[in-house]
């Protein structure tokens, strides 16, 4: 069973005034929930765990867009460092799939895959890189599509896993942080496309949801 760094329900994060926050978002954020440096340190350890498990065969790293792109880039940087400095190394290729399942802060119930090209996954070790898993329904739908292509192995790493009563119990193979059921943004996690340009993962104020809400 995969375990991430546990952030307990009662943890409220950090005073945002102690961190560098873009001016255009200062009024929209409640607290800094996971600082950027902690994200990078945890990502470095995930890279090591992944290479220990998957580092004996070529890896196709599949980034789930758009929210996964920052985590994906930083994770691959750490994997590349291990390739350069370790006793063994494996070729890494990359691919991308875009999934849309949210409008405002609610799942739409519809999952659409945009522009995916998964035919190259046959016989490969596939590492799916996701930003956040909540109910797990989106990931299960993607894994079903991937498994149709008959890969050699499929592992999933998610930066965040949210503890929510809606979850049917799906857990990825590698977890960065387990977080309470709070709506978070930053480090490429968005609210209607805003906040991707924020380094830290932060808690969004309720009135900011109204400000950036799509009609």
């Amino acid at each position: 069973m995969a375990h991430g760094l546990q952030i307990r329900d009662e943890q409220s994060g950090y005073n945002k005034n102690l961190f560098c926050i873009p001016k255009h978002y200062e009024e929209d954020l409640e607290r800094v929930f996971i600082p950027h440096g902690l994200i990078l340190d945890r990502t470095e350890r995930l890279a090591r765990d992944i290479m220990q498990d998957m580092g004996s065969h070529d890896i196709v790293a599949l980034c789930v867009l758009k929210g996964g792109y920052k985590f994906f880039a930083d994770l691959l940087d750490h994997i590349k460092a291990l390739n350069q400095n370790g006793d063994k190394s494996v070729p890494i290729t990359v691919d991308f799939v875009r999934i849309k399942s949210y409008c405002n802060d609610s799942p739409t119930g519809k999952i659409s895959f945009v522009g995916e090209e998964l035919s190259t996954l046959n016989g490969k070790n596939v590492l799916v890189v996701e930003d956040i898993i909540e109910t797990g329904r989106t990931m299960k739908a993607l894994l079903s599509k991937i498994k149709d292509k008959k890969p050699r192995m499929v592992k999933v790493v998610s930066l965040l896993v949210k503890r929510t009563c809606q979850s049917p119990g799906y857990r990825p193979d590698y977890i960065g942080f387990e977080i309470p059921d709070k709506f978070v943004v930053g480090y490429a996690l968005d609210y209607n496309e805003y906040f991707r340009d924020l380094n830290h993962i932060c808690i969004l104020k309720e009135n900011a949801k109204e400000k950036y809400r799509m009609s």
Side-chain angles (χ1 to χ4, degrees):
M1 176 73 70
H3 294 287
L5 196 155
Q6 296 269 349
I7 298 179
R8 296 187 302 275
D9 289 2
E10 62 271 19
Q11 285 180 245
S12 60
Y14 306 90
N15 184 334
K16 66 186 179 184
N17 296 324
L18 301 174
F19 295 85
C20 292
I21 302 287
K23 284 273 185 239
H24 54 278
Y25 290 145
E26 275 183 350
E27 298 306 309
D28 303 321
L29 304 171
E30 198 83 56
R31 311 268 290 171
V32 170
F33 201 48
I34 308 176
H36 186 235
L38 183 56
I39 296 168
L40 294 180
D41 282 359
R42 181 72 188 118
T43 301
E44 183 176 11
R45 177 54 199 251
L46 287 171
R48 195 171 86 186
D49 292 346
I50 288 163
M51 286 297 282
Q52 282 176 346
D53 291 347
M54 301 183 72
S56 58
H57 194 270
D58 296 18
I59 296 171
V60 179
L62 182 65
C63 176
V64 180
L65 294 172
K66 291 181 183 176
Y69 83 84
K70 276 289 295 170
F71 177 46
F72 182 77
D74 289 336
L75 182 69
L76 255 62
D77 279 347
H78 286 305
I79 288 175
K80 283 189 292 186
L82 290 168
N83 261 342
Q84 286 166 200
N85 301 315
D87 294 331
K88 60 179 184 177
S89 66
V90 294
I92 311 282
T93 56
V94 301
D95 215 331
F96 302 88
V97 58
R98 185 173 171 197
I99 300 176
K100 298 187 78 169
S101 61
Y102 258 75
C103 180
N104 296 322
D105 59 348
S106 303
T108 60
K110 297 177 183 174
I111 299 169
S112 60
F113 298 90
V114 183
E116 83 275 22
E117 179 48 71
L118 303 178
S119 58
T120 57
L121 303 182
N122 185 281
K124 302 283 178 55
N125 275 358
V126 180
L127 176 67
V128 182
V129 183
E130 174 68 291
D131 58 344
I132 185 166
I133 290 176
E134 298 184 47
T135 66
R137 284 193 291 268
T138 304
M139 184 53 65
K140 283 186 163 182
L142 176 59
L143 289 175
S144 174
K145 276 182 169 284
I146 291 171
K147 283 172 181 171
D148 287 345
K149 307 300 178 187
K150 300 191 168 41
R152 182 172 179 268
M153 174 198 294
V154 182
K155 298 275 190 184
V156 177
V157 56
S158 185
L159 176 64
L160 305 176
V161 170
K162 192 178 282 191
R163 290 189 295 276
T164 166
C165 56
Q166 296 173 299
S167 172
Y170 170 78
R171 290 177 68 83
D173 302 283
Y174 310 98
I175 298 168
F177 302 87
E178 292 194 34
I179 67 169
D181 194 0
K182 298 178 189 289
F183 194 81
V184 293
V185 294
Y187 193 68
L189 282 83
D190 75 308
Y191 180 76
N192 292 335
E193 296 302 325
Y194 292 94
F195 303 100
R196 295 196 197 277
D197 54 333
L198 175 64
N199 272 345
H200 313 291
I201 292 175
C202 298
I203 300 168
L204 194 61
K205 284 183 178 176
E206 283 301 316
N207 61 1
K209 292 183 183 180
E210 290 305 314
K211 179 177 170 183
Y212 296 101
R213 185 172 293 277
M214 287 172 64
S215 56

